[in-house]
Each structure stands twice: as structure tokens, then as C-alpha cells.
């Protein structure tokens, strides 16, 4: 059998000459192994082996199938679907499906794309090159089923404080099966493990989960969130929330306005009630006083003009159909604030005016003193007039009186 060709091995006459049965698989494997694969030409043609890769695509998306070969041996590449229908032979379309398009066709590469991928497109795609022998490569296409938005059930009406409730969540259409998680606001809730059930199409799955918890008054208005986690979502959030209402007994707090009441002022005591439902009735009482001061739907107790006698402990009972709550406040009426008298105001004004006048006088004295200092030494006595040009004292006196040194003016002498 050494040196025989593959066609010779597969011919019936060849097996008769070799005295072997045609149906003996072991003999066929032996013949091929010893004849075909031991051929130096066949070992060299390993470069004609095409290669490809497995692909994963989300349902509705687009997948690209790429097949490459190093040595094409003057032959073309071909893509076939899982049903062995030829999609493309080289650059020629073989199957009329507009979703399948040619991406690239060269002697060394054949790439095609499939858009709007459906779950039915999943399977093994074959890339073939028609050398001798025919060589193939497989590409497994996995289609991910996108889970539907989860649906929460089990919540019917308002819950009472400390009541226990159970909520259920379900999502269909995932492939592979998705996982469900629970949250209350930003807080994780530990629900039951996700239950998995195969859908009627035999390809996708329906998942479900439930969570049981006891509600408190802090849960009133909280959102219970069920989220579905799946690789097809690529990190995107897909969740559903259910807002719950919790009924609870009221609370109350008394707030004064103004905060430090004084005698003679107007005072409002606000009874701030909280609860679900909100308190609808308020009862005001003062310890030691009978009957109650006020019963009303308004929460404020008004004192138009405070007196010292109003001091004491006041109670406000806030009531709803869930119950009642009583808050207390101790009122201490302070002395009235001191009010400035008119005489004091008058004296303050007079004092200001006097201070301003004194200030002006001081400024005037300062300027006067400054002026006198600058003109010091410029005043001359009557006797000193003409002394600068007189040769003697007598002449200076005569000149000071307006006379000349050589004149006939009258002179007066003292003995």
C-alpha cells in the first residue's frame, strides 16, 4: 500500500488486490495512515489547513465569521451553516438570505457577516477549502438570549408595621439562564436561590426568585428592586422596582414659636405629628387644668398675650386610625424684655449734640493756636518804629512819631 494515492485506496479494485474487506474501518484507517499521511507532499500541505475562531453574539446582533488559510493551492474557501448549506463560495453568494453579507474575499481569507442573529442561527459553521484532500475548520457560534425585564408580584396593599411580606420576581428569555438579585433601596436583600425552568422553545430559560422580610416604619415609601444579571446585558441595568407603603402609629413633638417666650408676647405651640396616615386630631391639655384646653384638627395652640400664669406643662395627643401619641412641653414664661424710655432717648440725643459742639470747639482752638504760632514776632511797639535808620535813641523816637532827623518837629522833654 506504500506510495498508493488516496483515490487508489478508495477504489474497490484496490481493496480486492489487497485482499481486504471494504467495510473494515481499521484497514481503511491503516491504509490512509500508511499511505496518505506518510506522504511528504501531504505533510508539506499542512499550510493548506484553514483556521477560524468561535464566536458569541447577542440575539439581534451581528456576528462576523472569518476563515483564513496560508496556502490556498489555487482553491477557494467556502462557508457552510450548521445545516451544511453553502453560504458563500469565494465571493459568490450561495444562499438567498439578505442577513448574510460578504465582508472580505481573497485567496487567503473569506469573511462573512450575519446580522439580526436569531437563536436558530446557533451552531457549528464550517469553513472548507477544496484541496486534496478537502480541509475544513469549525466555528461554534453561540447566541445569547437576552432576558426580559423582570416582573414583581405578591404586593397587594399597604402593610402594617412589623408585618412580614413575600414578593416574587420572574424573568423569561435568557440563554444561558440569568440570575436574580434583590435590593431594598441601597441595601441588599437575601432572597431565595434563583429557580430555573426551560422555556417551551427548548433554547431559553425562565428564572424566578422570592424574598421574605419584615417591614418597619422606615420602609414606608421604600423601593424593593429585583434585578436580572446576564452576560448579554454587558453590565447594563435591567430591573423592576415595587414601592411599598407601611402603616404605623403616629409620633409627635411640640415646638414653640418664639423659642424663648416672654410675658406679653404672642406664643404658638406647634404639635408636629408624623405617621402613616398623618394624625387627623390633636388634643391639648395642661397639667392641673380640667377640662382639656382644645380639641381640633389644627396642630397649633395659640396664646395671644402671655402671662406668668400660663407657665406649666402642656400635653398634645396626636391621633390617627393607627393609634395615638402624647408629647409634652414645659412652658416657662420669661420676664418681658426691657424697653428703652423716652427720657433716656432724649438724654442720649442731648449728650450727642453736646459732644459734637465740644469737638468743634477743640478743632477751633487748635486752628487758632496754630495761627498765633505762625505770626509770632511780627508785632512792633510804637517806640521801635524808625529805629533801624536812626543814629541814636532820640532820633529813633522822633522817627517813630513820624518826624525826620533834620526837621522842626516839636520835641517834648521830661525832667
Amino acid at each position: 500500500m506504500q506510495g498508493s494515492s488516496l483515490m487508489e485506496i478508495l477504489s474497490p479494485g484496490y481493496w480486492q488486490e489487497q485482499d481486504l474487506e471494504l467495510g473494515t474501518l481499521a484497514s481503511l484507517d491503516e491504509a490512509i495512515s500508511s499511505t496518505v499521511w506518510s506522504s511528504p507532499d501531504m505533510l508539506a500541505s499542512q499550510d493548506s489547513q484553514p483556521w477560524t475562531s468561535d464566536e458569541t453574539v447577542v440575539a439581534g446582533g451581528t456576528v462576523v465569521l472569518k476563515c483564513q488559510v496560508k496556502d490556498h493551492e489555487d482553491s477557494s474557501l467556502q462557508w457552510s451553516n450548521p445545516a451544511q448549506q453553502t453560504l458563500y463560495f469565494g465571493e459568490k453568494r450561495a444562499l438567498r438570505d439578505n442577513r448574510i453579507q460578504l465582508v472580505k474575499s481573497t485567496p487567503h481569507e473569506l469573511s462573512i457577516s450575519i446580522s439580526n442573529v436569531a437563536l436558530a442561527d446557533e451552531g457549528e459553521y464550517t469553513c472548507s477549502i477544496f484541496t486534496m484532500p478537502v480541509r475544513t475548520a469549525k466555528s461554534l457560534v453561540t447566541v445569547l438570549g437576552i432576558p426580559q425585564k423582570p416582573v414583581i408580584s405578591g404586593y397587594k396593599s399597604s402593610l402594617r408595621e412589623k408585618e412580614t411580606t413575600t414578593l416574587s420576581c420572574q424573568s423569561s428569555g435568557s440563554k444561558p439562564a440569568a440570575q436574580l438579585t434583590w435590593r431594598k433601596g441601597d441595601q441588599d436583600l437575601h432572597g431565595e436561590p434563583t429557580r430555573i425552568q426551560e422555556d417551551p422553545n427548548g433554547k431559553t430559560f425562565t428564572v424566578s426568585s422570592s424574598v421574605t422580610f419584615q417591614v418597619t416604619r422606615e420602609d414606608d415609601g421604600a423601593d424593593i428592586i429585583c434585578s436580572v444579571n446576564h452576560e448579554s446585558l454587558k453590565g447594563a441595568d435591567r430591573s423592576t422596582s415595587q414601592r411599598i407603603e407601611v402603616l404605623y402609629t403616629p409620633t409627635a413633638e411640640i415646638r414653640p414659636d418664639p423659642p424663648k417666650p416672654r410675658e406679653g408676647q404672642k406664643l404658638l405651640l406647634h404639635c408636629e405629628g408624623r405617621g402613616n396616615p398623618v394624625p387627623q386630631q390633636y388634643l391639648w391639655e395642661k397639667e392641673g387644668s380640667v377640662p382639656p384646653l382644645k380639641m381640633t384638627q389644627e396642630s397649633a395652640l395659640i396664646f395671644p398675650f402671655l402671662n406668668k400664669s400660663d407657665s406649666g406643662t402642656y400635653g398634645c395627643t396626636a391621633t390617627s386610625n393607627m393609634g395615638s401619641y402624647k408629647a409634652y412641653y414645659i412652658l416657662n414664661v420669661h420676664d418681658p424684655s426691657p424697653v428703652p424710655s423716652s427720657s433716656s432717648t432724649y438724654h442720649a440725643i442731648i449728650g450727642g449734640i453736646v459732644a459734637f459742639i465740644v469737638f468743634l470747639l477743640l478743632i477751633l482752638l487748635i486752628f487758632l493756636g496754630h495761627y498765633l504760632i505762625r505770626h509770632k514776632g511780627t508785632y512792633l511797639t510804637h517806640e521801635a518804629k524808625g529805629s533801624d535808620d536812626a543814629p541814636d535813641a532820640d532820633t529813633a523816637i522822633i522817627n517813630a512819631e513820624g518826624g525826620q532827623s533834620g526837621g522842626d518837629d516839636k520835641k517834648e522833654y521830661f525832667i
Side-chain angles (χ1 to χ4, degrees):
M1 291 187 290
Q2 295 292 336
S4 300
S5 66
L6 180 60
M7 297 304 296
E8 291 175 345
I9 294 174
L10 296 178
S11 64
Y14 177 85
W15 291 105
Q16 291 175 0
E17 292 174 4
Q18 298 297 326
D19 195 23
L20 294 173
E21 293 183 4
L22 185 61
T24 306
L25 182 60
S27 299
L28 178 60
D29 290 341
E30 180 183 355
I32 294 175
S33 298
S34 62
T35 304
V36 179
W37 297 109
S38 62
S39 171
D41 293 338
M42 296 303 293
L43 293 175
S45 64
Q46 290 299 309
D47 290 341
S48 300
Q49 175 64 39
W51 72 89
T52 184
S53 61
D54 295 339
E55 303 293 339
T56 300
V57 60
V58 177
T62 300
V63 63
V64 175
L65 302 179
K66 183 177 181 180
C67 180
Q68 294 175 290
V69 66
K70 186 175 181 181
D71 184 5
H72 56 84
E73 296 186 6
D74 296 326
S75 184
S76 297
L77 294 169
Q78 170 187 293
W79 272 110
S80 303
N81 62 14
Q84 295 304 310
Q85 296 172 311
T86 301
L87 304 179
Y88 267 89
F89 182 77
E91 61 183 9
K92 297 180 180 179
R93 181 196 296 270
L95 186 66
R96 294 183 179 275
D97 188 341
N98 292 330
R99 300 180 306 137
I100 305 173
Q101 298 293 329
L102 179 66
V103 176
K104 184 177 182 180
S105 176
T106 68
H108 299 279
E109 179 182 339
L110 178 61
S111 296
I112 63 173
S113 67
I114 306 174
S115 60
N116 196 21
V117 175
L119 293 172
D121 294 323
E122 185 174 77
E124 274 192 344
Y125 288 74
T126 304
C127 174
S128 307
I129 184 169
F130 291 92
T131 57
M132 186 61 68
V134 177
R135 290 177 171 82
T136 61
K138 301 291 186 180
S139 175
L140 177 62
V141 174
T142 302
V143 181
L144 302 178
I146 303 176
Q148 297 178 3
K149 187 176 182 178
V151 177
I152 296 178
S153 59
Y155 180 76
K156 297 179 180 179
S157 60
S158 302
L159 303 168
R160 290 180 174 269
E161 186 178 14
K162 297 183 180 181
E163 185 178 348
T164 299
T165 185
T166 298
L167 300 180
S168 298
C169 180
Q170 180 175 291
S171 173
S172 302
S174 59
K175 178 183 174 296
Q179 292 293 317
L180 298 175
T181 58
W182 290 93
R183 297 195 321 272
K184 180 173 63 178
D186 296 330
Q187 177 186 356
D188 290 336
L189 290 177
H190 299 289
E192 295 181 357
T194 302
R195 299 181 295 273
I196 302 173
Q197 182 178 358
E198 189 177 56
D199 291 335
N201 59 21
K203 294 181 178 293
T204 58
F205 300 90
T206 296
V207 294
S208 60
S209 177
S210 59
V211 64
T212 301
F213 59 98
Q214 186 182 62
V215 297
T216 65
R217 62 180 58 202
E218 287 76 17
D219 295 330
D220 183 36
D223 289 324
I224 307 301
I225 303 169
C226 175
S227 300
V228 57
N229 302 318
H230 195 262
E231 55 186 305
S232 65
L233 300 176
K234 298 180 180 180
D237 179 63
R238 178 157 294 187
S239 59
T240 298
S241 63
Q242 173 65 63
R243 180 160 295 183
I244 62 174
E245 181 184 16
V246 180
L247 305 177
Y248 57 94
T249 56
T251 60
E253 180 181 2
I254 300 176
R255 179 178 58 84
D257 182 21
K260 293 184 178 181
R262 295 182 179 274
E263 188 176 8
Q265 289 182 330
K266 179 181 179 180
L267 173 66
L268 277 77
L269 293 182
H270 296 277
C271 185
E272 298 178 345
R274 292 176 293 273
N276 189 18
V278 176
Q280 298 297 320
Q281 189 177 68
Y282 298 89
L283 176 65
W284 285 96
E285 298 174 288
K286 180 181 180 182
E287 288 188 355
S289 176
V290 179
L293 301 176
K294 186 179 181 182
M295 179 180 292
T296 178
Q297 293 183 351
E298 298 180 0
S299 60
L301 181 63
I302 302 175
F303 297 84
F305 192 88
L306 274 178
N307 292 312
K308 287 283 188 178
S309 60
D310 292 325
S311 298
T313 300
Y314 290 80
C316 170
T317 302
T319 303
S320 72
N321 57 11
M322 290 295 296
S324 60
Y325 183 90
K326 189 170 185 178
Y328 293 93
Y329 175 75
I330 298 177
L331 173 61
N332 292 317
V333 180
H334 300 274
D335 293 331
S337 302
V339 179
S341 63
S342 58
S343 60
S344 299
T345 304
Y346 175 77
H347 292 157
I349 295 174
I350 295 300
I353 295 174
V354 171
F356 180 71
I357 294 174
V358 171
F359 175 74
L360 290 179
L361 290 175
L362 288 175
I363 296 297
L364 182 61
L365 288 175
I366 290 172
F367 275 102
L368 182 61
H370 182 68
Y371 176 80
L372 292 177
I373 290 173
R374 289 188 61 185
H375 294 79
K376 182 179 181 181
T378 61
Y379 176 78
L380 299 177
T381 63
H382 186 68
E383 291 80 2
K385 291 181 179 180
S387 62
D388 293 337
D389 298 327
D392 51 37
D394 292 338
T395 303
I397 295 173
I398 293 172
N399 291 340
E401 295 177 352
Q404 301 296 325
S405 60
D408 296 330
D409 294 339
K410 185 180 179 178
K411 299 181 180 178
E412 182 175 359
Y413 298 92
F414 295 91
I415 300 176

